[in-house]
Amino acid sequence: METLEAVTDIILETLLTSVRQVIPVPAAAQIPEVFQNSVAQSDIGVLVGFTGDLYGRIVIQGPSEVFGKIGETMFGMPLEGEMLHSFVGELANMVAGNTSTLMSSKGQTIDITPPTVMVGHLQLYGIEQGISVTVHLENAGEINIILLTQH
């Protein structure tokens, strides 16, 4: 049986692969950082839970401008306001859904929850431990991918 740390590494690796497959621009991930207690957000983010063989949450967050550039790259038009918020939720849905599919090929069955879009300054508490990875997207900027696993 694999350790929680090994399973977390597999999920994180698969999640980053999914980001690279879904977002159509070159992406470079920095070294993952472990954190505890809380997650802070200053602009826009989205949370998707996953259940099944594994339990946890994925948070994708970053500046509105970066998500706007991703949306423009994918759809050929600038996105703002509610259209941008909807896009951020759908982007997370695509990433999490693709991650679920990739994990099934590794023998892990996970289902995802509907995305929850979070706009503005906020802090998520009650986090035992998480992993954060900054991903640089060429010609768009940086987003943070956060993986919160539960024991």
Side-chain angles (χ1 to χ4, degrees), residues 12 16 20 27-33 131-137 141-145:
L12 183 60
L16 292 172
R20 290 182 182 104
Q30 295 181 358
I31 296 171
E33 297 178 13
I131 299 171
S132 176
V133 180
T134 299
V135 177
H136 178 78
L137 302 168
E142 293 181 342
I143 58 173
N144 291 316
I145 308 294

Side-chain angles (χ1 to χ4, degrees), residues 16-31:
L16 292 172
T17 296
S18 185
V19 166
R20 290 182 182 104
Q21 290 177 351
V22 170
I23 301 175
V25 298
Q30 295 181 358
I31 296 171

Side-chain angles (χ1 to χ4, degrees), residues 8 24 29 37 48 56 65-66 82 90 93 100-101 109 114 120-121 125 127 135 141 148:
T8 299
N37 302 325
V48 177
E65 300 79 34
V66 173
E82 287 185 25
E90 188 52 39
N93 215 25
S100 175
T101 300
T109 302
H121 298 279
Y125 288 98
I127 297 165
V135 177
L148 308 167

Side-chain angles (χ1 to χ4, degrees), residues 22-24 44-46 60 63-95 115 117 137 143:
V22 170
I23 301 175
I44 189 168
V46 60
I60 302 173
S64 296
E65 300 79 34
V66 173
F67 286 110
K69 288 178 184 176
I70 296 168
E72 191 167 357
T73 299
M74 292 176 79
F75 299 112
M77 60 183 260
L79 303 176
E80 298 175 341
E82 287 185 25
M83 189 87 129
L84 179 63
H85 300 164
S86 178
F87 167 71
V88 170
E90 188 52 39
L91 180 66
N93 215 25
M94 290 186 289
V95 169
V117 177
L137 302 168
I143 58 173

Side-chain angles (χ1 to χ4, degrees), residues 33-49:
E33 297 178 13
V34 176
F35 66 92
Q36 296 177 329
N37 302 325
S38 68
V39 172
Q41 173 184 294
S42 61
D43 198 350
I44 189 168
V46 60
L47 181 143
V48 177

